[in-house]
Amino acid sequence: MLIAKTVDQVRQFVKAARRQGRSVGLVPTMGYLHEGHASLVTRARSECDCVVVSVFVNPTQFGPTEDLEAYPRDLKRDAALLESLGVDVLFHPEPSEMYLPGAATWVSVEGLTEGLCGRTRPTHFRGVCTVVSKLMNIVTPDRAYFGQKDAQQLAVIRRMVRDLNMDVEVIGCPIVREADGLAKSSRNTYLSADERRSALVLSRAVFAGEKLVREGERDADAVVRAMRGVIEAEPAARIDYVEAVDADAVTPVTRIEGRVLFAMAVYIGKTRLIDNFIAQI
Ligand code: PAF
């Protein structure tokens, strides 16, 4: 596995791969990899001749009071995992390699980024879209893989790729959960043992919502109310949002028809966790 620190190294690798007619898959990550990331890499490995994984804690998607400094990092462990999964290139640039002095260009998607996480993280998706565009331009992948756990991010990236005519297929992969239901996340490492137990309200709310829809409930507000009820029963949990939106347009819905995203962000202590499910009717 090549560990590339510079844009040029990645470009040279990709050019050589293209000359040999090999397809390229990209898995963008911020590192501290878990089974959720591994599932993206495994899918990329099965569908592409070459797999490039980026490990870059992107400063522009963190707000001024967010956890950029504290965000967990362990490149050695990440590299060992990626090597064992058969990855061809681990791209691990310094922030100064990704953002040159005087960088003045942003990629923003409007509308879809204003609700849900965008309400409390107003500059987050601009940072995500900018770095993902840059990675797409550097790697020029045939396919790029993202987790469904970040459902709003996935919808935003799909829209960006469509709107900017990026020649890449965006592939969303299912949420991977711990045995007890908690969605895998690098931020789970922030939780104390007690908080880890309290954090199970997120998946419990998801499963309760899914059950209601399975049983025939078509009133989105009724499902949201039930999910909120589950979370509010846990004293350590503080709701940021629980909402039902159109899964592609990220606009509020009241009836469950088509693809409806039920998404939540919940604070457990100081840690903000997200989870969701999509109802498809
Ligand atoms: O989902 C993430 O880990 C990040 O938002 C991404 C897509 C790697 C961009 O930094």
Side-chain angles (χ1 to χ4, degrees):
M1 182 177 74
L2 169 69
I3 300 189
K5 301 280 291 177
T6 67
V7 170
D8 265 7
Q9 281 173 292
V10 177
R11 288 221 160 109
Q12 275 174 31
F13 175 91
V14 172
K15 268 191 193 139
R18 294 266 179 240
R19 272 198 299 274
Q20 295 161 7
R22 304 174 79 203
S23 62
V24 178
L26 168 66
V27 183
T29 82
M30 298 209 300
Y32 215 73
L33 304 176
H34 50 66
E35 286 86 341
H37 298 112
S39 75
L40 306 181
V41 174
T42 303
R43 173 98 184 256
R45 184 66 287 167
S46 72
E47 295 179 348
C48 308
D49 298 321
C50 304
V51 177
V52 178
V53 177
S54 59
V55 171
F56 179 61
V57 183
N58 172 37
T60 63
Q61 68 188 74
F62 289 80
T65 60
E66 292 181 358
D67 56 342
L68 172 61
E69 298 308 323
Y71 197 84
R73 295 159 167 90
D74 190 342
L75 187 67
K76 225 166 131 190
R77 200 180 59 118
D78 289 348
L81 174 69
L82 295 175
E83 178 105 59
S84 77
L85 294 173
V87 165
D88 298 278
V89 181
L90 161 53
F91 180 39
H92 179 56
E94 291 297 326
S96 57
E97 175 72 8
M98 286 300 276
Y99 295 102
L100 300 179
T105 305
W106 295 101
V107 179
S108 314
V109 172
E110 293 176 7
L112 286 77
T113 54
E114 281 153 28
L116 305 186
C117 289
R119 205 169 299 126
T120 48
R121 308 186 74 192
T123 57
H124 171 67
F125 290 110
R126 182 182 76 160
V128 170
C129 289
T130 301
V131 82
V132 171
S133 302
K134 288 165 74 66
L135 290 167
M136 300 289 204
N137 285 335
I138 294 164
V139 179
T140 62
D142 297 277
R143 300 180 194 87
Y145 298 82
F146 299 88
Q148 182 62 45
K149 184 168 115 2
D150 294 290
Q152 187 177 13
Q153 168 174 282
L154 181 56
V156 167
I157 289 171
R158 283 191 197 285
R159 184 64 65 89
M160 173 186 82
V161 162
R162 190 202 74 169
D163 289 353
L164 296 182
N165 305 93
M166 291 181 173
D167 192 11
V168 58
E169 187 184 349
V170 173
I171 296 177
C173 301
I175 297 177
V176 178
R177 299 182 181 280
E178 307 277 359
D180 60 7
L182 183 66
K184 301 257 184 193
S185 164
S186 306
R187 289 190 169 98
N188 290 348
T189 53
Y190 297 152
L191 301 169
S192 68
D194 280 349
E195 288 173 339
R196 170 73 182 67
R197 272 188 292 278
S198 303
L200 290 177
V201 282
L202 280 92
S203 51
R204 275 209 296 276
V206 163
F207 301 151
E210 280 178 327
K211 182 163 177 284
L212 278 175
V213 176
R214 229 179 10 253
E215 289 169 354
E217 181 61 78
R218 294 294 175 262
D219 175 352
D221 291 339
V223 175
V224 167
R225 271 197 307 276
M227 292 170 73
R228 291 186 75 96
V230 172
I231 301 165
E232 282 162 1
E234 168 54 60
R238 183 166 61 81
I239 293 175
D240 177 356
Y241 66 79
V242 182
E243 279 176 51
V245 296
D246 178 279
D248 302 309
V250 197
T251 45
V253 298
T254 50
R255 288 291 303 162
I256 306 174
E257 47 200 9
R259 267 166 33 90
V260 174
L261 168 67
F262 288 88
M264 68 179 82
V266 176
Y267 285 93
I268 304 292
K270 288 200 166 94
T271 306
R272 185 177 177 278
L273 299 174
I274 56 174
D275 204 341
N276 69 80
F277 74 97
I278 289 185
Q280 185 140 18
I281 305 297

